[in-house]
Amino acid sequence: MSGPDVSVVICVYTEDRWEDILAAVSSVRAQSYPARETLLVVDHNPALLDRLAKEYKEVAEVRVLANAGPRGLSAGRNTGIAASHGEVIAFLDDDAVAERDWLRHFAAGYADPKVMAVGGRTLPIWASGRRPAWFPAEFDWVVGCTYKGLPRGLVRVRNVLGGNASFRRTAFDAAGGFATGIGRDGDKRPLGCEETELCIRLSRARPDAVLLIDDRAVIHHRVPEAREHFGYFRTRAYAEGLSKALVARSVGADKGLESERRYATRVLPAGVARGLRDALLARPGGAGRAGAIVAGVLTAAGGYVVGSVRTRKGGATFQVAPIEGGTG
């Protein structure tokens, strides 16, 4: 089969997601475009590391290894990149399953040598069986999914979304790895944006780089019941503001908030208008969706202000390290 070799990295941290992890690996092994290897990177959990090593000891294409850096998603991804052998490294969340042609669509994007990253579309699997009536699709990023307002089709973007993304190996040679100190760290506050910061840094290091989203590369992401409630929605929005402040510190507010300005001035007002219209038409959840959008904006803005103050005072730090190891 022509096209680049693809290594898939799945970062894991808790045995509570055991069945989800097995399903994620199975979805990779069932791809129509086979992965060269799947790497399970375990984040400082010896019991899970041992259990997974036993589970896959007879499966040559699945490798289990420990996060070699500090606790957190960024260091886990960097560990996977360094240990991988593919020309392209794809990332899949540990609580998601990929559709059969996921890697085929990723691989096709790299026919153009200028393409340095290809992302896909992530759809929610709600624990309750359906989207909560109050939950606005414009905020699906809260639960790690593609949100209303992102362009459809095969399009050029500022950044891909980390749980459903791939990068050419040379992207990490040019820009270094994921920054530690920005993204998630075990069970702490649900921070994010590490892939945004990396993509902007990559575009600066390689001005000719092309980053794409192909919405045919689909994964289905499990949303647990606890994340269907407004309390989590608010917590995640606040954490996003904190994260965006770190991104702005790293790459500047112009690039760090470029896409967010369009989102805030065009996508969200349209969402509020739709919610109010639905409320006037007595459709379920209309007023709740409009209110959630307003609350989400204000909460994220508050997090950004707090995060900006912390970065100015030196209370938040992050580090970008080169990726050591790895072969084509």
Side-chain angles (χ1 to χ4, degrees):
M1 182 178 297
S2 61
D5 283 346
V6 182
S7 297
V8 177
V9 174
I10 304 174
C11 295
V12 303
Y13 72 98
T14 176
E15 289 182 272
D16 292 343
R17 292 185 177 179
W18 179 256
E19 295 300 328
D20 291 336
I21 295 167
L22 299 187
V25 173
S26 293
S27 75
V28 175
R29 297 182 68 195
Q31 289 295 298
S32 62
Y33 186 101
R36 175 170 178 168
E37 60 190 348
T38 300
L39 294 92
L40 288 170
V41 183
V42 183
D43 193 17
H44 297 269
N45 185 333
L48 179 58
L49 180 71
D50 182 64
R51 188 177 180 188
L52 285 170
K54 291 176 180 177
E55 179 73 21
Y56 292 107
K57 66 180 180 180
E58 303 295 336
V59 184
E61 70 270 25
V62 178
R63 297 162 57 198
V64 179
L65 56 156
N67 178 2
R71 185 182 300 275
L73 183 56
S74 289
R77 286 173 172 165
N78 291 341
T79 297
I81 297 163
S84 66
H85 300 95
E87 301 166 64
V88 169
I89 299 97
F91 299 93
L92 179 66
D93 276 344
D94 63 344
D95 52 356
V97 292
E99 291 192 359
R100 179 170 168 76
D101 291 329
W102 177 62
L103 289 183
R104 181 180 297 279
H105 294 304
F106 275 176
Y110 292 99
D112 180 348
K114 291 184 178 179
V115 171
M116 290 288 113
V118 182
R121 180 159 52 109
T122 302
L123 302 177
I125 304 173
W126 302 96
S128 61
R130 60 184 300 179
R131 172 187 298 275
W134 64 270
F135 202 113
E138 293 82 0
F139 272 77
D140 276 6
W141 55 263
V142 164
V143 291
C145 294
T146 301
Y147 55 90
K148 188 178 183 66
L150 280 179
R152 298 298 300 268
L154 178 63
V155 293
R156 191 166 179 173
V157 292
R158 179 195 67 179
N159 64 274
V160 296
L161 304 180
N164 179 11
S166 64
F167 291 84
R168 200 183 291 274
R169 176 174 296 282
T170 52
F172 302 109
D173 296 335
F178 289 91
T180 57
I182 291 182
R184 294 193 181 224
D185 177 2
D187 295 325
K188 293 183 179 180
R189 194 186 300 276
L191 301 172
C193 296
E194 65 276 8
E195 66 278 357
T196 301
E197 192 273 343
L198 170 63
C199 289
I200 295 172
R201 186 163 22 95
L202 171 61
S203 295
R204 286 185 170 179
R206 288 282 305 270
D208 64 335
V210 174
L211 285 69
L212 300 173
I213 283 183
D214 186 340
D215 68 5
R216 298 171 300 172
V218 177
I219 70 169
H220 298 265
H221 186 269
R222 190 174 300 281
V223 181
E225 192 273 339
R227 296 186 182 183
E228 294 187 7
H229 299 289
F230 184 70
Y232 180 81
F233 179 92
R234 184 175 55 194
T235 298
R236 179 68 184 89
Y238 181 76
E240 185 75 1
L242 294 176
S243 301
K244 283 292 190 294
L246 277 173
V247 172
R249 177 190 174 200
S250 173
V251 299
D254 285 348
K255 278 293 182 183
L257 300 176
E258 183 179 50
S259 297
E260 288 72 15
R261 291 190 184 95
R262 175 189 173 277
Y263 172 72
T265 58
R266 296 175 60 183
V267 174
L268 295 184
V272 172
R274 279 191 296 271
L276 294 176
R277 178 199 62 198
D278 287 348
L280 290 173
L281 295 173
R283 293 172 178 167
R289 289 191 296 276
I293 291 173
V294 173
V297 170
L298 294 176
T299 305
Y304 183 81
V305 171
V306 171
S308 298
V309 171
R310 287 180 181 174
T311 58
R312 284 198 296 269
K313 292 182 177 180
T317 60
F318 61 94
Q319 182 176 2
V320 177
I323 299 295
E324 304 291 343
T327 59

